[in-house]
Amino acid sequence: MSELKIKKIGVLTSGGDAPGMNAAIRALVRAGIREGYEMYGVRRGYKGLLEGDIIPLGTRDVSEIIHRGGTILMTARSKEFVDKEGQEKAKEIMKVYELDALVVIGGDGSFRGAYALSKLGIPVIGIPGTIDNDVSCTDYCIGFDTAMNTALEAIDKIRDTASSHERCSVIEVMGREAGYIAMNVGMACGAEVILIPEVKYSLEKDVYRIILEGRNVGKHHYIVIVAEGAGDAPEIAKKIEEFTGIETRTTVLGYVQRGGSPTVKDRIAASMMGIKAIDCIANGKTNRLIVEQGGEIKDIDIKKGMAMKKTIAAETLKENLRLF
Ligand code: F6P
């Protein structure tokens, strides 16, 4: 057992839920208890923290959740916590509940919250969980693989009907300001066009012309993947139909992408990240972000992690799009 300066650890999930968050909670709680810590769940993210919505978690409380989507701790986006006042209040609440450290599972915004708490002297650990995969310091965020596979399954079905009707299908996928889901599912389904916020495009050259070139080499249906941050999918569909004369339909995949049972990749990443977070605390390392870099699960300093930038490999996208 480790030297126990930190005795009680709180765990919360924040921002958009992501498949695999439950697997991370399970790993944290069980690894934490194994190390001799008392584990607590903070329900409804930072909002719940400010309301003192805190419950003890034992090993059996996290049974039967490794395969479940969503988060048993529930999640929220808290406006109050964005301000310094809210963050100070969160610190007070942690004192009242005698929580010595906080593990935050979430995306960019959630990490900003954790970083703010660390600056107020609260030991924190961040675990990246967002289907968008847009946390800069890590190659991988929990939930990304499941969301991509869910989207891909839906797109394959849309392809069947698009092909039967010889239509163009414009499909909007999630990702906020990032194109990771769009780029990957677009490549995986062999889309004619992939539009992501990171790459400027012209409708004439990068959309209409590609579709018409496809038609001229004998294609009968077309798939256009639009990241939600890259434009208005119904509007793009309307313009495609007007310009090309090809019947075009839009599908916005929406929240279906956030649900469902996590894939093997997400269950393993979540479990390993949860264990790594407890390892850090047990070894006296706090204010760390757990990341996947070069296929390895590592921990990095939160300040350094927050300053990192990552770019999308847009070149891969260009290569892929000429495959018809
Ligand atoms: O961050 C995950 C995500 O699903 C984004 O892809 C999307 O833009 C956003 O959350 C939707 O958020 P909300 O649940 O608040 O509608």
Side-chain angles (χ1 to χ4, degrees):
M1 195 180 305
S2 56
E3 275 285 319
L4 286 185
K5 210 166 104 224
I6 287 173
K7 289 198 175 87
K8 298 185 180 182
I9 303 174
V11 179
L12 64 78
T13 48
S14 156
D17 62 320
M21 280 182 164
N22 281 328
I25 295 167
R26 169 184 177 273
L28 282 162
V29 169
R30 293 195 174 162
I33 290 170
R34 191 171 63 195
E35 279 295 328
Y37 297 114
E38 283 177 51
M39 301 301 294
Y40 288 82
V42 180
R43 300 195 300 179
R44 302 182 179 84
Y46 292 116
K47 183 172 178 285
L49 180 59
L50 291 172
E51 290 163 1
D53 192 352
I54 297 165
I55 52 164
L57 287 177
T59 45
R60 296 278 69 79
D61 296 318
V62 292
S63 295
E64 305 293 333
I65 65 166
I66 195 166
H67 61 295
R68 279 169 55 191
T71 158
I72 59 158
L73 291 177
M74 294 169 284
T75 184
R77 303 189 197 274
S78 167
K79 280 204 179 101
E80 195 187 347
F81 184 75
V82 173
D83 299 331
K84 189 85 194 271
E85 239 171 70
Q87 292 156 8
E88 294 279 3
K89 184 173 165 195
K91 183 182 169 174
E92 286 312 305
I93 299 270
M94 284 193 65
K95 226 188 255 168
V96 170
Y97 281 83
E98 296 175 310
L99 289 183
D100 305 310
L102 187 67
V103 181
V104 172
I105 309 168
D108 250 353
S110 312
F111 278 12
R112 273 195 298 279
Y115 185 39
L117 286 179
S118 75
K119 289 197 252 179
L120 295 178
I122 299 202
V124 298
I125 304 278
I127 294 182
T130 164
I131 63 161
D132 303 339
N133 204 37
D134 60 348
V135 176
S136 291
C137 55
T138 183
D139 296 342
Y140 193 76
C141 300
I142 297 166
F144 180 47
D145 187 60
T146 308
M148 287 192 297
N149 281 294
T150 303
L152 190 63
E153 203 184 320
I155 294 164
D156 285 346
K157 288 178 177 151
I158 293 167
R159 173 206 293 278
D160 290 345
T161 169
S163 160
S164 306
H165 285 264
E166 299 183 89
R167 281 175 178 157
C168 171
S169 283
V170 175
I171 301 160
E172 182 189 294
V173 297
M174 276 188 166
R176 203 179 285 272
E177 294 304 315
Y180 293 98
I181 297 179
M183 191 172 100
N184 285 280
V185 301
M187 286 168 67
C189 76
E192 277 67 37
V193 176
I194 304 170
L195 304 179
I196 59 172
E198 294 86 344
V199 177
K200 275 204 182 131
Y201 62 88
S202 114
L203 283 176
E204 290 74 17
K205 270 182 28 204
D206 302 312
V207 183
Y208 309 153
R209 187 171 147 185
I210 303 294
I211 291 171
L212 292 176
E213 277 176 6
R215 185 198 58 190
N216 294 346
V217 294
K219 285 190 87 78
H220 294 288
H221 71 271
Y222 317 85
I223 297 178
V224 177
I225 303 293
V226 182
E228 65 175 329
D232 183 79
E235 190 59 33
I236 292 170
K238 197 166 151 253
K239 288 182 176 165
I240 290 173
E241 182 162 304
E242 277 166 11
F243 192 91
T244 64
I246 296 166
E247 201 177 10
T248 303
R249 294 282 193 272
T250 315
T251 307
V252 177
L253 290 184
Y255 293 105
V256 71
Q257 295 161 98
R258 271 210 330 228
S261 183
T263 57
V264 171
K265 164 81 190 166
D266 278 323
R267 295 184 200 194
I268 292 176
S271 303
M272 286 175 66
M273 286 181 175
I275 291 167
K276 186 78 176 171
I278 296 297
D279 266 4
C280 281
I281 297 174
N283 288 304
K285 285 206 259 177
T286 56
N287 301 338
R288 312 290 291 175
L289 297 177
I290 308 302
V291 297
E292 187 184 299
Q293 287 173 354
E296 239 185 276
I297 305 292
K298 299 178 182 170
D299 59 282
I300 59 168
D301 174 65
I302 193 164
K303 188 174 178 195
K304 280 195 189 138
M306 295 307 290
M308 285 170 78
K309 296 263 173 286
K310 81 174 173 187
T311 49
I312 205 154
E315 285 318 305
T316 333
L317 193 157
K318 286 219 164 62
E319 293 303 313
N320 180 68
L321 292 181
R322 299 293 172 265
L323 288 183
F324 60 73

